[in-house]
Structures are given as structure tokens and as C-alpha cells.
């Protein structure tokens, strides 16, 4: 496979979005690129090829794009984690702390069956709060987390330490927040 720096070059960085001091790592430029999108998915497929996985759990919203493509290759279904108020059927909810205030995620009550082996997918790992909340929700429904996959990791925000009980895999890393 070509060096991972090619993938890094396809991510667009937008300074001070959505607030001053944040470097927004925009993956739309990577997934718009036919080679880049295929490379990213192929690398995940290669990594998880021999891991038994029953369901890919994709986190709103950029996680849906990666999770859908990956599930297709791994021959699994996709379950989705959404922000509060978006899902039409009965849900289970989890409120979690942000730097200021709280956020709430939901899944349908029947999204995960007890004992299912779940791979959690999002575009980016920052503090790990979103992924941790998603894992807790999945575990509350009886699912087992076999791994968490991200295109981008921001190591300085120490999400990996927060999620130390899980097996994490990211394709590329960026310095800073
Ligand atoms: P966290 O819960 O802190 O790990 O944040 C992860 C979520 O926030 C992911 O769904 C990302 O899409 C988004 N996110 C956090 N920081 C950034 C960033 N610097 N650039 C792009 N997306 C980000």
C-alpha cells in the first residue's frame, strides 16, 4: 500500500472552526477523492479482515459514510448512533459531559443484540468522549466492542488513554487540537 502521507495530504485543515483555536480536520476532501476514499476503506478492511465482527456501529455523521462502506466489505450490517431526537423508533439514550455542558446520543433499542461483536467507527478521535459514550450505550444493550476505528487521531487530546480498555485503530495522526 502507498505511504499514509498521501492520505494525510487529502485532509483539509480549517483553522479556528468552529471556534478560535480549533484546527478542524475536514475529511470531505479525502472522501471526495476516489483514490483517497478507496485507500482509507481498503486499509480498514485489511486491518479487520480476520476480526470476527457482527455489526459496524457508525457514529453521526461522518462515521456513517465510513461505516457504511466498511460494513459492505466486512459483510456486516450497520447500526447507527445519532444525536438526540433524530431516531423515529424507541431509543436508549446516554448523556455525556463535554468541556462545557452535556450532549446526548441515542440508538434504537433493537440496534444491538446481546453478544453481538461491534466495531465502532467515526471519522476522528479527539478527546474520545463521543466514542466512549457510544461504547457505553452499546455495552448497555449487551454488545461487545471488538474495536474502534478512526481515519484521524489527535494524540494530544489523549482519547486513546480515555478509551484504554478498547482496541483502537487510526489511519493518520495530526498534531494539536
Ligand atoms: P471527541 O468526542 O472529543 O473525541 O470528538 C470526536 C467528534 O468530534 C468526532 O465525531 C469528530 O467528527 C468531531 N471532532 C472533534 N474535533 C475535531 C476536529 N479537530 N476536526 C474535525 N472534527 C472534530
Amino acid at each position: 500500500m502507498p505511504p499514509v502521507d498521501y492520505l494525510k495530504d487529502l485532509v483539509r485543515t480549517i483553522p479556528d472552526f468552529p471556534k478560535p483555536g480549533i484546527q478542524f480536520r475536514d475529511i470531505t476532501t479525502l472522501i471526495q477523492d476516489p483514490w483517497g476514499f478507496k485507500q482509507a476503506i481498503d486499509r480498514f478492511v485489511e486491518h479487520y479482515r480476520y476480526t470476527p465482527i457482527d455489526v459496524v456501529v457508525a457514529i453521526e455523521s461522518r462515521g456513517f459514510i465510513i461505516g457504511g462502506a466498511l460494513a459492505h466489505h466486512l459483510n456486516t450490517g450497520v447500526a447507527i448512533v445519532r444525536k438526540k431526537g433524530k431516531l423515529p423508533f424507541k431509543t436508549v439514550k446516554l448523556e455525556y459531559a463535554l468541556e462545557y455542558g452535556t450532549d446526548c446520543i441515542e440508538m434504537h433499542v433493537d440496534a444491538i443484540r446481546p453478544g453481538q461483536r461491534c466495531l465502532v467507527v467515526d471519522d476522528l478521535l479527539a478527546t474520545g468522549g463521543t466514542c466512549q459514550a457510544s461504547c457505553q450505550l452499546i455495552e448497555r444493550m449487551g454488545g461487545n466492542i471488538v474495536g474502534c476505528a478512526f481515519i484521524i487521531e489527535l494524540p494530544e487530546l489523549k482519547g486513546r488513554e480515555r478509551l484504554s480498555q478498547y482496541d483502537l485503530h487510526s489511519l493518520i495522526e495530526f498534531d494539536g487540537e
Side-chain angles (χ1 to χ4, degrees), residues 12 14 17-18 22-27 59-63 83 96-98 122-132 150 152 154 157 159 162-163 176-177:
R12 173 166 55 196
I14 299 154
F17 183 88
I22 302 290
Q23 304 251 73
F24 193 88
R25 307 297 181 178
D26 175 19
I27 61 144
I59 299 177
E60 184 171 354
S61 58
R62 290 176 292 269
K83 296 273 158 62
Y96 62 103
L98 298 173
D122 202 358
D123 65 327
L124 182 143
L125 173 66
T127 65
T130 314
C131 183
Q132 186 180 43
F150 310 89
I152 300 170
L154 308 180
L157 294 178
R162 185 171 186 165
L163 295 166
E177 295 189 12

Side-chain angles (χ1 to χ4, degrees), residues 71-147:
H72 176 73
H73 283 279
L74 296 176
N75 297 310
T76 74
V78 190
I80 58 175
V81 175
R82 298 214 65 179
K83 296 273 158 62
K84 191 179 171 184
K86 308 265 188 162
L87 289 169
F89 186 58
K90 269 192 286 178
T91 62
V92 284
K93 299 181 189 21
L94 197 140
E95 206 172 84
Y96 62 103
L98 298 173
E99 197 178 349
Y100 303 105
T102 60
D103 215 338
C104 185
I105 52 166
E106 291 184 317
M107 294 182 79
H108 276 149
V109 287
D110 56 1
I112 305 292
R113 291 191 301 281
Q116 276 194 312
R117 296 164 296 191
C118 304
L119 174 67
V120 180
V121 176
D122 202 358
D123 65 327
L124 182 143
L125 173 66
T127 65
T130 314
C131 183
Q132 186 180 43
S134 304
C135 291
Q136 286 170 351
L137 205 50
I138 292 164
E139 286 171 338
R140 201 183 278 178
M141 286 190 272
N144 299 321
I145 313 294
V146 296

